[in-house]
Amino acid sequence: MTVPLSVPLSGQGIETGATIQANLGTAALVEEAVRRGEGLLAAHGPLVVETGKHTGRSAKDKFIVRDAETESTVWWGKVNVPMTPEHFANLKADFLTALAGKDTLYVADLFGGSQPEHRVNVRVINELAWHNLFIRTLLVRPTEQELAGFTPEYTIIDLPSFTADPERHGSRSETVIAVNFFEKLILIGGTRYAGEMKKSVFGILNYLLPARGVMPMHCSANIGPDGKTAVFFGLSGTGKTTLSADASRTLIGDDEHGWSDTAVFNFEGGCYAKMIRLSAEAEPEIYATTKMFGTVLENVVIDPDTRELDLDDNSLAENSRGAYPIEFIPNASEENLGPVPANVVMLTADAFGVLPPIARLTPDQAMYHFLSGYTAKVAGTEIGVTEPEATFSTCFGAPFMPRHPSVYGNLLKERIAKGGVQCWLLNTGWTGGKYGVGKRMPIKATRALLNAALDGSLNNAEFRKDPNFGFDVPVAVEGVDSTILDPRATWADKDAYDATAQKLVQLFVDNFAEFEAHVDESVRKAAPQAA
């Protein structure tokens, strides 16, 4: 299907002699990408591409234009770094010059958000066909009728071939991601990592929706056989995508959602899953997508002769990824939304081996842990990391949250209180010692504990108070080794556990200091207790 643009590029002040490939479908975009040498078709159908030196987001190269629109609404700091309107004007002028000289441009008109009253119209302009396929896969695809009357609100221009000039453009390097909320324009240059586009749309919705009373969330979400929705907050590597792709539950989405008065709705129409060391045994639903036409695989190693994939080979990237339409998951929601949540699950991968595999949180504890956004990196994932390293990403998505974290935290607390929502902290990290000593939490135990939480049976268990964090921890759960429920009991050296626990508690306390003035006393009292 090819649907002409209802608003031409010239109507947006973009003049170019390029051939405009507008709203191409999956097959046409795959053909274009292969014809242009942008990627290879794998043996079973997916398109395999490489992103070059950028195999992840360039967080330090992202800027927001600081102007009258954003001066008092954006949480300026290490995450939200300002760019002057003058530098953006230079950048925009040079982007428009670059567009004018292109032979071919791929343009897709898409929705960010599945609930009609809360979605945003996004136009994406690409020089690479596979980039256009990627974003068309990840966002919500309008119907032919909706495209006929589509008026873009926000526009993203993504030119990997563009080279930014720090002096002229106010960038840090030759790579730039510049967001202008007043002009409703996002410019991405100098990187082939397609995830920048996806997260840019997330940032737009994270900026717009709180003013409407809608809670934007970096989470996955699914619906149980009982019709009740669960949302899963978590940073990369904590199991957000894996745990939400459960054959017994209906998937709403794996990464970005809004929580309105009436629904949890997916911001996207696709999923973006880690592919490294993926197996059919552990994650059958996601693994199946690696053998489907329409999936885009980034930095996955492929045999050039047989076109077979090697998902275990990380020579191109540890962060190899797959983008696929949400309908590739057999039990996905047709509406891309579900009822407001009955359960909120906050995922962490605690490499210190201190946190229990599951804990029940009060609303105040939930807000505390939401604002903390804790997980831990393990040795070997980054150069120079030899010990577990705590990572605190507020709201489980600091890089994508333009407003002050308390805005999102207070929205969450209000939603929890209004709906009587049960909150849980689920640790998919290490047991029996920190990383290098203990072992990863068994996925079978994690799933059993999660299922008990979501079906309500866990509330009938006996609980104890965790001496360090103060939350409720079950003493025994059917089908789960009780020893694993008490982290201290799994450590051979109990003194080492106590010392490590106090170290982690202090890291939490130190991290939360910047939020204390913005939360109620009850939330401050939900903090773990340093000895």
Side-chain angles (χ1 to χ4, degrees):
M1 178 184 75
T2 301
V3 180
L5 302 176
S6 63
V7 176
L9 295 188
S10 59
Q12 299 180 275
I14 299 172
E15 299 296 339
T16 177
T19 299
I20 305 300
Q21 299 282 15
N23 295 312
L24 295 186
T26 297
L29 285 168
V30 170
E31 287 173 348
E32 284 284 296
V34 172
R35 179 181 65 81
R36 290 157 53 96
E38 295 175 8
L40 297 174
L41 271 184
H44 301 284
L47 179 69
V48 181
V49 297
E50 294 183 17
T51 63
K53 68 177 183 177
H54 293 283
T55 59
R57 289 184 310 101
S58 299
K60 293 180 180 177
D61 292 307
K62 181 191 160 197
F63 302 87
I64 297 175
V65 177
R66 190 168 191 160
D67 54 22
E69 164 82 17
T70 57
E71 178 63 46
S72 60
T73 53
V74 168
W75 182 45
W76 301 107
K78 288 185 294 184
V79 170
N80 297 311
V81 179
M83 173 180 280
T84 67
E86 293 75 21
H87 278 135
F88 185 85
N90 291 341
L91 185 66
K92 178 181 175 182
D94 292 346
F95 259 73
L96 293 179
T97 298
L99 284 178
K102 296 296 176 189
D103 294 326
T104 306
L105 290 171
Y106 300 90
V107 183
D109 287 338
L110 301 158
F111 294 133
S114 298
Q115 192 169 8
E117 56 266 46
H118 298 304
R119 69 191 181 195
V120 63
N121 293 4
V122 181
R123 169 167 288 176
V124 186
I125 303 170
N126 300 111
E127 63 179 330
L128 295 178
W130 85 259
H131 267 195
N132 207 241
L133 174 61
F134 172 94
I135 200 63
R136 186 181 178 278
T137 301
L138 264 296
L139 294 188
V140 178
R141 296 165 288 283
T143 64
E144 192 168 347
Q145 186 177 5
E146 287 169 332
L147 283 174
F150 190 98
T151 300
E153 298 171 68
Y154 280 79
T155 299
I156 297 171
I157 305 174
D158 191 339
L159 301 177
S161 65
F162 185 89
T163 302
D165 178 347
E167 187 174 344
R168 176 167 166 76
H169 302 135
S171 61
R172 185 187 68 99
S173 70
E174 294 183 345
T175 300
V176 66
I177 301 97
V179 181
N180 190 318
F181 284 114
F182 178 72
E183 293 193 30
K184 300 183 177 179
L185 178 63
I186 297 171
L187 305 175
I188 303 171
T191 172
R192 292 213 309 269
Y193 183 68
E196 298 287 8
M197 294 182 285
K198 161 189 157 67
K199 289 305 184 188
S200 292
V201 177
F202 189 34
I204 292 169
L205 289 162
N206 283 333
Y207 182 74
L208 296 176
L209 292 183
R212 305 177 190 171
V214 177
M215 172 72 186
M217 303 177 291
H218 186 212
C219 71
S220 58
N222 61 25
I223 308 167
D226 56 3
K228 293 181 178 178
T229 298
V231 298
F232 302 81
F233 289 104
L235 300 174
S236 180
T238 57
K240 190 159 45 72
T241 298
T242 300
L243 291 171
S244 61
D246 182 331
S248 68
R249 299 176 65 84
T250 301
L251 181 69
I252 300 173
D254 79 325
D255 197 37
E256 302 169 5
H257 295 81
W259 182 348
S260 70
D261 288 337
T262 57
V264 166
F265 61 97
N266 194 347
F267 287 170
E268 303 183 300
C271 301
Y272 194 34
K274 282 197 169 186
M275 291 289 154
I276 193 69
R277 290 177 286 277
L278 190 71
S279 74
E281 294 72 34
E283 300 174 79
E285 292 88 1
I286 299 173
Y287 183 83
T289 69
T290 67
K291 299 180 181 297
M292 294 183 183
F293 180 81
T295 292
V296 182
L297 297 175
E298 296 176 340
N299 303 315
V300 170
V301 173
I302 180 174
D303 186 299
D305 296 322
T306 67
R307 301 294 176 92
E308 293 290 343
L309 304 173
D310 185 350
L311 298 176
D312 295 324
D313 189 335
N314 67 349
S315 57
L316 291 176
E318 181 69 24
N319 186 38
S320 60
R321 292 265 180 174
Y324 48 89
I326 193 166
E327 56 265 27
F328 280 13
I329 300 296
N331 55 329
S333 162
E334 287 185 20
E335 296 81 19
N336 233 15
L337 51 76
V340 295
N343 286 278
V344 166
V345 181
M346 298 184 190
L347 300 168
T348 183
D350 176 30
F352 290 92
V354 167
L355 294 178
I358 197 166
R360 186 173 61 187
L361 307 177
T362 66
D364 288 316
Q365 288 170 338
M367 184 171 174
Y368 182 91
H369 284 275
F370 178 70
L371 288 175
S372 297
Y374 165 72
T375 193
K377 296 175 185 174
V378 299
T381 57
E382 292 187 11
I383 296 171
V385 180
T386 55
E387 287 286 311
E389 187 176 292
T391 298
F392 293 96
S393 184
T394 186
C395 308
F396 293 97
F400 325 117
M401 303 293 176
R403 297 181 184 271
H404 193 279
S406 61
V407 171
Y408 308 104
N410 283 316
L411 261 174
L412 179 68
K413 189 178 175 186
E414 288 167 17
R415 293 271 176 212
I416 289 170
K418 187 176 180 180
V421 181
Q422 186 64 70
C423 300
W424 307 91
L425 185 69
L426 189 72
N427 174 25
T428 61
W430 274 255
T431 180
K434 65 183 181 181
Y435 174 83
V437 178
K439 61 182 186 297
R440 195 76 190 253
M441 203 72 71
I443 186 69
K444 189 176 178 182
T446 298
R447 284 209 181 271
L449 291 168
L450 177 61
N451 290 339
L454 298 185
D455 69 19
S457 62
L458 190 54
N459 279 316
N460 300 323
E462 178 188 350
F463 287 82
R464 64 176 178 85
K465 288 282 182 194
D466 184 273
N468 298 302
F469 285 83
F471 40 47
D472 290 340
V473 180
V475 174
V477 177
E478 187 177 347
V480 178
D481 179 4
S482 294
T483 307
I484 209 173
L485 297 172
D486 181 359
R488 191 173 187 271
T490 67
W491 282 53
D493 186 338
K494 304 299 190 270
D495 290 339
Y497 172 85
D498 293 338
T500 306
Q502 279 304 303
K503 176 184 176 183
L504 183 58
V505 164
Q506 193 59 53
L507 288 171
F508 266 86
V509 171
D510 293 345
N511 172 74
F512 202 79
E514 66 177 311
F515 304 123
E516 287 187 345
H518 301 277
V519 300
D520 297 340
E521 176 66 19
S522 58
V523 177
R524 290 195 287 272
K525 286 182 176 178
Q529 300 302 308

